[in-house]
Amino acid sequence: MDKSSHAIVIGAGIAGMAAAIRLAVQGYAVNVYEQSDQPGGKLGYFETKGYHFDTGPSLFTQPANIEELFELAGEPIANYFRYRKMDHSCHYFYEDGTMVRAAADTDAFAAELQQKTGEPAHHLKHYLNNSAKLYDGVANVFLNHSLHKRKTLVKANIGKAIKTVRISHLMKSMHQVNQQSFQSEKVVQLFNRYATYNGSNPYKAPGMLSLIPHLEHNEGTFYPEGGMISITKALHQLAIKKGVAFHFKQPVERIIRHNNQAIGVVVAGKNILSDIVVSNVDVYFTYLRLLNDPEKAKKILKQERSSSALIFYWGVHKTFPSLGLHNIFFSNQYQQEFDHLFRLKKAYNDPTVYINITSKCEPGKQAPDGKENWFVMVNVPANVGQDWSQLKTIYRKAVIDKLNRMLQVDIESLIETEDVLDPVLIETKTGSYQGSLYGTSSNSRMAAFLRHPNFSRQIEGLYFVGGSVHPGGGIPLCLKSAKIMSAIVQEDARKRKRH
Ligand SMILES: Cc1cc2nc3c(=O)[nH]c(=O)nc-3n(C[C@H](O)[C@H](O)[C@H](O)COP(=O)(O)OP(=O)(O)OC[C@H]3O[C@@H](n4cnc5c(N)ncnc54)[C@H](O)[C@@H]3O)c2cc1C
């Protein structure tokens, strides 16, 4: 393909940039229009008084998705991006004082669980083996191919994938599968928490999600040097290297359609034409605002949105040796917490608290010496008009009370700087409807099939990438969405040539 074929990507989130890189490699002249003044979308960052804060994602898994982009682009990744595998994936804290450090090494983790919770070591190994089988059989087909193109599914051997699935993966909830697998309620809770990987409820989401722990415990968790923002920086630089042009502070107002074909976009009242258009914008807003199709937008809402989050970015004037890069302080009533998140859509007085501290990996760089940068997050309901200033006060108190209790400190007196992100800000800053973190939830058995495809059935030349479409939210899946999209673009181009 010569550079006379033009692609427009709307949004410079992780998925938008991955899409731009792939299309540039395919030979398109690519222009990315982004409403904000910087790339990364949810994966942003800020610094205050020497504390570095990544604003959104904090957990990095499956670096192979990023490696693959650099290989495809023919660029040595080491020139752009470095990361390392972590020895421990997470430190878990329970209200009764139990603390579990989840080692990357399965034997060490199994021994820790046995010692701290009484869970027989072989239960963990059996569970993680099943998780791996399920992931290898199912995820490789469903997460790497379009579910909406029969031909690609046949090629991907969907028959084999279906054989891996047991009836319990479909008919039982993730919680029920975990209860069958472990005898300790603490271990059940620990593995239930993986439903929050895609903003879902373990008491509703299908047992199929028990494939998620495979990512952390068999493949591992990783730390990008310089913090998560280095992922954004690396993709941005790679895209520029491949000739992609970025236009910041240039929100797209509309996608131009002509004879049911996407032929460009409107930016600042001007028509900009292209051969294909890729939307990295939340699919709901793409239909509502960019395509002026409220009916189709309404249909998208039939699927439940994923949960959102409230984040307190605290510069903390002390170091805590018992904490690691990732820390979870569990709620005592996990089921009630999820009921508040998804059914009642209200604050819960004993939320599970997640704390990410990148200064554990780069002391003195991510925070001043002797201090720590705490990214303190609680899952909260998607925004349906709740009073967030009131909720922020309620949650802040609940979080501080919990940490004081569980860490035996007066945390408030140690907070040197504070910033807050709530669901409304997530929506206004990144255009994610209701501030949901991962687009739609996976609380139903059919969720994977109901996510919007990576192409439009009605409008030729219009494609979709990112957390709100197939295969789902989270950095690895967003990167996969760009891969699936670019394969469809290639196939469509081949078809056009044949006709
Ligand atoms: C607090 C938080 C914690 C998270 N934790 C994790 C984690 O630990 N691990 C993980 O893997 N994932 C995590 N996620 C999810 C992850 O951040 C997202 O799945 C991923 O970053 C989404 O990328 P994206 O490219 O789909 O969209 P976005 O990052 O939302 O990017 C969309 C872009 O489109 C732009 N845009 C919107 N409308 C327009 C318009 N009209 N014109 C031009 N530009 C427009 C936006 O400004 C934005 O830059 C988290 C998310 C949040 C918010």
Side-chain angles (χ1 to χ4, degrees):
M1 181 179 293
D2 60 40
K3 289 267 180 196
S4 59
S5 291
H6 290 259
I8 286 176
V9 178
I10 313 171
I14 288 300
M17 288 193 287
I21 293 164
R22 285 183 178 274
L23 293 173
V25 171
Q26 273 180 38
Y28 281 90
V30 186
N31 282 280
V32 179
Y33 291 88
E34 165 57 51
Q35 66 179 11
S36 153
D37 59 358
Q38 53 198 310
K42 295 188 181 72
L43 213 168
Y45 114 117
F46 70 95
E47 244 179 86
T48 176
K49 293 189 180 160
Y51 292 98
H52 166 130
F53 291 104
D54 290 310
T55 52
S58 53
L59 176 70
F60 180 39
T61 54
Q62 296 200 308
N65 290 302
I66 294 182
E67 298 262 1
E68 190 183 316
L69 276 175
F70 282 88
E71 257 167 51
L72 187 78
E75 285 292 311
I77 188 166
N79 291 358
Y80 297 79
F81 182 62
R82 289 201 178 85
Y83 61 90
R84 65 175 196 261
K85 190 171 177 185
M86 299 301 293
D87 292 339
H88 288 86
S89 60
C90 193
H91 292 193
Y92 295 99
F93 297 82
Y94 299 84
E95 282 276 359
D96 68 357
T98 306
M99 198 266 236
V100 171
R101 290 173 80 223
D105 175 75
T106 304
D107 289 331
F109 183 30
E112 170 93 350
L113 284 181
Q114 184 148 19
Q115 191 205 338
K116 300 285 180 62
T117 69
E119 188 70 47
H122 67 273
H123 286 180
L124 177 74
K125 291 180 194 167
H126 184 67
Y127 184 83
L128 292 181
N129 274 341
N130 283 340
S131 187
K133 271 192 219 149
L134 204 54
Y135 191 88
D136 289 341
V138 176
N140 282 339
V141 171
F142 288 90
L143 303 183
N144 288 316
H145 300 88
S146 175
L147 297 184
H148 312 87
K149 298 257 177 196
R150 210 152 40 103
K151 211 167 143 194
T152 55
L153 276 180
V154 171
K155 232 197 304 184
N157 203 348
I158 192 170
K160 187 176 160 227
I162 288 167
K163 274 189 207 146
T164 336
V165 180
R166 286 204 236 106
I167 206 83
S168 60
H169 296 138
L170 296 173
M171 303 314 287
K172 293 202 161 136
S173 69
M174 184 186 196
H175 171 68
Q176 286 167 326
V177 166
N178 290 341
Q179 255 191 334
Q180 268 180 351
S181 311
F182 300 109
Q183 63 191 39
S184 156
E185 281 305 317
K186 287 194 174 76
V187 182
V188 172
Q189 183 170 27
L190 192 155
F191 282 96
N192 278 353
R193 80 110 175 155
Y194 286 96
T196 64
Y197 249 60
N198 57 12
S200 301
N201 175 354
Y203 302 91
K204 283 268 162 64
M208 186 76 94
L209 294 200
S210 61
L211 58 78
I212 297 176
H214 165 73
L215 299 180
E216 266 193 32
H217 292 287
N218 296 326
E219 293 191 358
T221 59
F222 301 83
Y223 177 73
E225 203 176 280
M228 296 297 280
I229 191 62
S230 59
I231 298 176
T232 291
K233 288 180 182 163
L235 295 192
H236 184 219
Q237 281 163 12
L238 180 63
I240 289 171
K241 178 84 185 183
K242 290 285 116 185
V244 173
F246 285 86
H247 310 271
F248 293 109
K249 290 190 176 170
Q250 305 260 327
V252 168
E253 289 152 15
R254 201 160 56 75
I255 294 170
I256 310 170
R257 300 158 70 158
H258 181 68
N259 292 338
N260 275 336
Q261 179 144 6
I263 58 160
V265 297
V266 178
V267 178
K270 270 187 18 208
N271 289 358
I272 301 163
L273 300 185
S274 64
D275 298 283
I276 63 169
V277 174
V278 180
S279 179
N280 177 211
V281 181
D282 187 307
V283 62
Y284 171 75
F285 282 133
T286 301
Y287 279 106
L288 188 72
R289 293 177 181 162
L290 303 184
L291 290 163
N292 193 16
D293 188 346
E295 278 311 304
K296 184 84 184 163
K298 217 159 97 191
K299 272 194 196 151
I300 305 274
L301 291 190
K302 284 197 178 139
Q303 271 185 278
E304 184 181 33
R305 299 298 287 183
S306 84
S307 52
S308 186
L310 190 56
I311 296 122
F312 299 97
Y313 306 95
W314 287 341
V316 172
H317 195 282
K318 184 176 168 5
T319 56
F320 287 76
S322 64
L323 301 183
L325 173 63
H326 303 285
N327 309 276
I328 288 182
F329 295 79
F330 275 124
S331 167
N332 237 347
Q333 299 291 336
Y334 215 30
Q335 189 156 5
Q336 279 190 29
E337 182 182 2
F338 283 99
D339 200 38
H340 279 70
L341 278 177
F342 288 98
R343 193 175 65 83
L344 301 171
K345 300 201 188 297
K346 283 186 177 160
Y348 184 57
N349 59 11
D350 177 26
T352 296
V353 179
Y354 164 77
I355 306 182
N356 175 251
I357 312 172
T358 55
S359 59
K360 292 287 181 194
C361 294
E362 294 179 281
K365 280 191 177 166
Q366 296 280 311
D369 277 332
K371 302 180 182 184
E372 292 182 344
N373 58 341
W374 284 23
F375 167 108
V376 182
M377 176 173 128
V378 287
N379 290 312
V380 297
N383 174 37
V384 288
Q386 300 94 325
D387 178 347
W388 286 104
S389 71
Q390 189 196 31
L391 288 183
K392 266 187 275 192
T393 311
I394 294 173
Y395 273 112
R396 189 177 187 277
K397 182 172 182 324
V399 169
I400 287 178
D401 287 351
K402 192 170 181 78
L403 295 177
N404 285 351
R405 206 164 53 232
M406 294 175 80
L407 288 173
Q408 297 285 298
V409 282
D410 170 14
I411 203 70
E412 194 146 25
S413 66
L414 299 171
I415 300 173
E416 202 173 63
T417 67
E418 178 173 84
D419 280 88
V420 187
L421 185 72
D422 65 25
V424 176
L425 277 174
I426 294 175
E427 176 169 319
T428 45
K429 282 186 169 177
T430 69
S432 180
Y433 182 58
Q434 295 184 342
S436 77
L437 303 192
Y438 304 98
T440 52
S441 79
S442 295
N443 287 342
S444 86
R445 278 197 293 277
M446 292 308 290
F449 294 91
L450 296 174
R451 272 183 181 270
H452 195 285
N454 304 101
F455 61 96
S456 164
R457 287 205 172 89
Q458 288 80 31
I459 308 169
E460 224 181 286
L462 176 62
Y463 302 90
F464 298 85
V465 292
S468 67
V469 296
H470 178 72
I475 297 167
L477 298 191
C478 286
L479 295 173
K480 286 180 194 296
S481 76
K483 183 177 180 180
I484 298 170
M485 178 281 302
S486 73
I488 298 171
V489 167
Q490 243 167 351
E491 181 57 30
D492 287 353
R494 271 197 292 269
K495 261 194 235 156
R496 273 198 303 276
K497 235 179 178 176
R498 278 201 298 270
H499 290 142

